[in-house]
């Protein structure tokens, strides 16, 4: 069932082709990021742990290597889910949205990441500020999955989106 009033839903191939660039970009990035954290030494694990626990105090109760391992597995798993076609866009989009909100939370809560009184990043904040694109991809996948990948049709139809084209 689609929210649009179109007679013919898009083919699965067309929907998958449209989502492919979004899923591939974020998926490859996350898998690579997770793989680089897999063999993290004590110093790297401690740095990641300290950085995250400054923004999220509950992380401070974990051991640094355990935290880094969980983060690594999460990134690899989410990246892999983005890369395989049988995970629904809504599900993988929700996961990516949640993950990116966590990284943007680090950006917003950590001193020195943003310019004073602004959302604009500093040089140190750029690696986290750029994760805003993952939030956009995640939300786009959720919306696309919920609407069946169909855009609203112009005109005065009877479909769920017919209010879109009404003019006062």
């Amino acid at each position: 069932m689609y929210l649009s009033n179109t007679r013919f839903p898009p083919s699965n191939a067309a929907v998958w082709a449209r989502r492919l660039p979004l899923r591939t970009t974020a998926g490859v990035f996350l898998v690579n990021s997770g793989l680089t954290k897999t063999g993290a030494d004590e110093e790297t694990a401690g740095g990641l742990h300290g950085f995250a626990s400054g923004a999220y105090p509950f992380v401070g109760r974990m051991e640094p290597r355990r935290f880094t391992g969980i983060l690594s597995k999460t990134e690899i798993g989410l990246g892999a889910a983005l890369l395989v076609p049988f995970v629904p866009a809504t599900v993988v989009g929700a996961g990516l949205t949640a993950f990116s909100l966590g990284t943007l939370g680090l950006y917003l809560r950590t001193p020195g990441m943003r310019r004073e009184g602004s959302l604009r990043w500093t040089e140190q904040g750029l690696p986290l500020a750029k994760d805003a694109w993952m939030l956009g991809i995640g939300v786009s996948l959720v919306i696309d999955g919920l609407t069946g990948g169909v855009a609203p049709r112009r005109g005065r139809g009877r479909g769920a989106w017919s209010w879109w084209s009404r003019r006062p």
Side-chain angles (χ1 to χ4, degrees):
M1 181 167 152
Y2 297 95
L3 294 178
S4 176
N5 56 355
T6 183
R7 286 191 215 191
F8 304 103
S11 72
N12 286 340
V15 171
W16 176 248
R18 186 182 58 247
R19 294 174 184 163
L20 183 65
L22 298 174
R23 292 179 73 140
T24 305
T25 304
V28 169
F29 182 86
L30 283 169
V31 168
N32 181 58
S33 180
L35 289 174
T36 59
K37 291 177 181 82
T38 299
D41 59 2
E42 282 295 325
E43 185 179 337
T44 304
L48 285 169
H49 181 261
F51 184 60
S53 62
Y56 299 110
F58 69 89
V59 172
R61 295 189 293 261
M62 285 186 198
E63 294 177 17
R65 301 241 343 155
R66 178 171 164 73
F67 169 74
T68 305
I70 291 171
L71 179 60
S72 171
K73 288 177 180 82
T74 301
E75 288 179 334
I76 293 169
L78 183 55
L82 282 158
L83 292 172
V84 295
F86 53 82
V87 179
T90 309
V91 173
V92 78
L96 184 60
T97 299
F99 184 82
S100 62
L101 285 172
T103 60
L104 289 174
L106 281 171
Y107 171 73
L108 294 172
R109 294 177 180 187
T110 304
M113 296 289 122
R114 298 177 291 125
R115 295 180 185 181
E116 184 105 14
S118 173
L119 289 176
R120 293 175 50 203
W121 58 86
T122 61
E123 198 66 33
Q124 295 81 19
L126 181 60
L128 289 176
K130 65 167 181 43
D131 289 347
W133 61 266
M134 286 198 309
L135 177 62
I137 291 172
V139 171
S140 294
L141 287 170
V142 169
I143 291 169
D144 201 43
L146 290 175
T147 60
V150 178
R153 201 171 108 198
R154 290 194 150 297
R156 299 194 181 267
R158 290 183 162 182
W161 288 82
S162 62
W163 57 270
W164 184 270
S165 61
R166 290 190 189 143
R167 297 179 192 207

